[in-house]
Amino acid sequence: MTIPPLPPGSTIGILGGGQLGRMLALAAAELGLRCHIYCPDPDSPAFDVAHRATCAPYEDESSLDQFVRSVDRVTYEFENVPHRTAAFLASRVLVLPSEKALRITQDRLHEKRFVTDLGFQTAQFLPIDNPEQLTQGLTTLGSPAILKTRRFGYDGKGQIKVSHGDDVEVAWQSIGKQNAILEAVVPFEMECSVVVARGSDGAMAAYDVTENQHENHILKISSVPARVLPTTADEARRIGTRIAEALDYVGVLAVELFVVRTSAGEHLLINEIAPRVHNSGHWTQDGCQVSQFEQHIRAIAGWPLGSAERHCDVEMINLLGDDIGQWASLAAEPNVALHLYGKHQARPGRKMGHVNRTKPQARRDR
Ligand code: AMP
């Protein structure tokens, strides 16, 4: 799919007004493009930095109608865009990444089947539609295993570890009695991710692989270079590239991966795909010539992709909840780039900002 490039001065509509939408809008502004943010939450950090904002439900067709009239293209900052909203907008304007990426990544079962069909590995999994299947699944996959809702899970929400002897009815109830999958627990050495961009002409740009550490299921630290073998880093980029091609994707996507080490060496299992810019790619703002945010805007605007080459080592640290109180001392540190999201309330675990701590490049993984 080759698309007409949007000239500077054009307006991009973004569904979702969180920090990802905010950083996309800032990157678009650098390229002379305007953004119109659409989000139902009046307290949306992206509203502060956009040319226009609409605060309305995603199901409100009259607001969507006005929104779509004011924009030249639409993209999104989160994968749970309701199907009807995406379809309504796509009938009027080009929406990128396309509906196929949303459809597959909104459902863990579809996503797992999609990547295994491409020949990649995931944790062993089974569809679970009732408590009886859960009991049976624990016997097949081993105990403990992880029960995850097929839809609307993020940052560890909508999932629970279940073991033999646990009350399966209680586990089933705790995830809201919804269609789910059961996953075997992966004995991973490390979690990492890869962020890739694909242009409408099929050009690809893959960033260096990032090593990720979580706290209470929320990303805390991402570092590059990741401490993986060069062959593993190559394989991660191949996975990201292949997935983007198979989705005929336009924009930035991230693939979260588990690194498993055995006597046979190091290999990767896919955890999940995010059809959007990703928290583990925030280091690119200060580590690369073209950040993931600018890259996404370039891709969906039909511009050439920029260089994804890394020019320094970076440790990205999320400022969660009260961590935001450290802003003054962080701002005084040399080699720290501070990115704050302008959120008013620092609830525990809420992503309030991040820092990129940079240092000269020690090693390149390609
Ligand atoms: P998810 O929401 O699927 O990304 O899961 C959140 C976190 O839970 C992951 O980043 C892992 O730390 C952990 N996790 C998820 N699935 C598995 C699994 N199958 N085996 C081991 N850990 C997992």
Side-chain angles (χ1 to χ4, degrees), residues 118-141:
L118 290 177
F120 298 126
Q121 266 187 293
T122 65
Q124 280 186 290
F125 65 95
L126 289 169
I128 302 291
D129 298 324
N130 54 53
E132 294 71 43
Q133 286 180 344
L134 179 52
T135 306
Q136 183 58 46
L138 284 171
T139 305
T140 312
L141 296 183

Side-chain angles (χ1 to χ4, degrees), residues 26 48 54 59 69 72 75-76 79 91-92 98 116 127 139 149 196 198-199 207 211 236 239 242-243 289 317 361:
L26 289 169
D48 291 352
T54 297
E59 297 74 21
R69 283 172 201 271
D72 301 295
T75 189
Y76 43 88
E79 55 272 48
S91 68
R92 307 274 294 277
S98 70
T116 51
T139 305
T149 57
V196 300
R198 185 165 183 272
Y207 289 97
E211 176 175 339
I239 288 172
R242 183 74 193 95
I243 288 174
Q289 188 172 353
I317 304 164
Q361 195 161 4

Side-chain angles (χ1 to χ4, degrees), residues 189-193 208-212 223-237 257-261 266-268 363-366:
E189 203 72 36
M190 178 197 296
E191 291 188 74
C192 70
S193 54
D208 276 0
V209 176
T210 311
E211 176 175 339
N212 301 323
S223 347
V224 273
R227 290 168 296 173
V228 293
L229 296 170
T231 47
T232 306
D234 283 345
E235 176 61 3
R237 283 188 288 267
L257 301 153
F258 296 128
V259 181
V260 177
R261 289 194 187 122
E266 204 170 75
H267 68 280
L268 293 170
R363 177 169 69 75
R364 293 175 61 169
D365 62 11
R366 59 177 138 174

Side-chain angles (χ1 to χ4, degrees), residues 49-71:
V49 302
H51 174 65
R52 271 184 77 175
T54 297
C55 185
Y58 290 119
E59 297 74 21
D60 178 347
E61 284 205 0
S62 127
S63 297
L64 287 173
D65 178 61
Q66 282 178 34
F67 171 71
V68 81
R69 283 172 201 271
S70 74
V71 299

Side-chain angles (χ1 to χ4, degrees), residues 108 111-112 122-124 145-146 148 153-159 161 181-188 191 212-214 216-219 256-258 269-272 278:
R108 287 188 195 272
E111 182 176 291
K112 287 246 175 343
T122 65
Q124 280 186 290
I146 305 174
K148 299 182 178 181
Y154 69 97
D155 286 350
K157 293 189 174 60
Q159 59 179 271
K161 212 175 231 187
I181 60 169
L182 189 67
E183 279 183 33
V185 173
V186 176
F188 60 80
E191 291 188 74
N212 301 323
Q213 291 173 47
H214 297 81
N216 304 318
H217 290 285
I218 300 172
L219 183 67
E256 295 177 16
L257 301 153
F258 296 128
L269 303 187
I270 296 177
N271 178 27
E272 67 185 8
H278 193 260

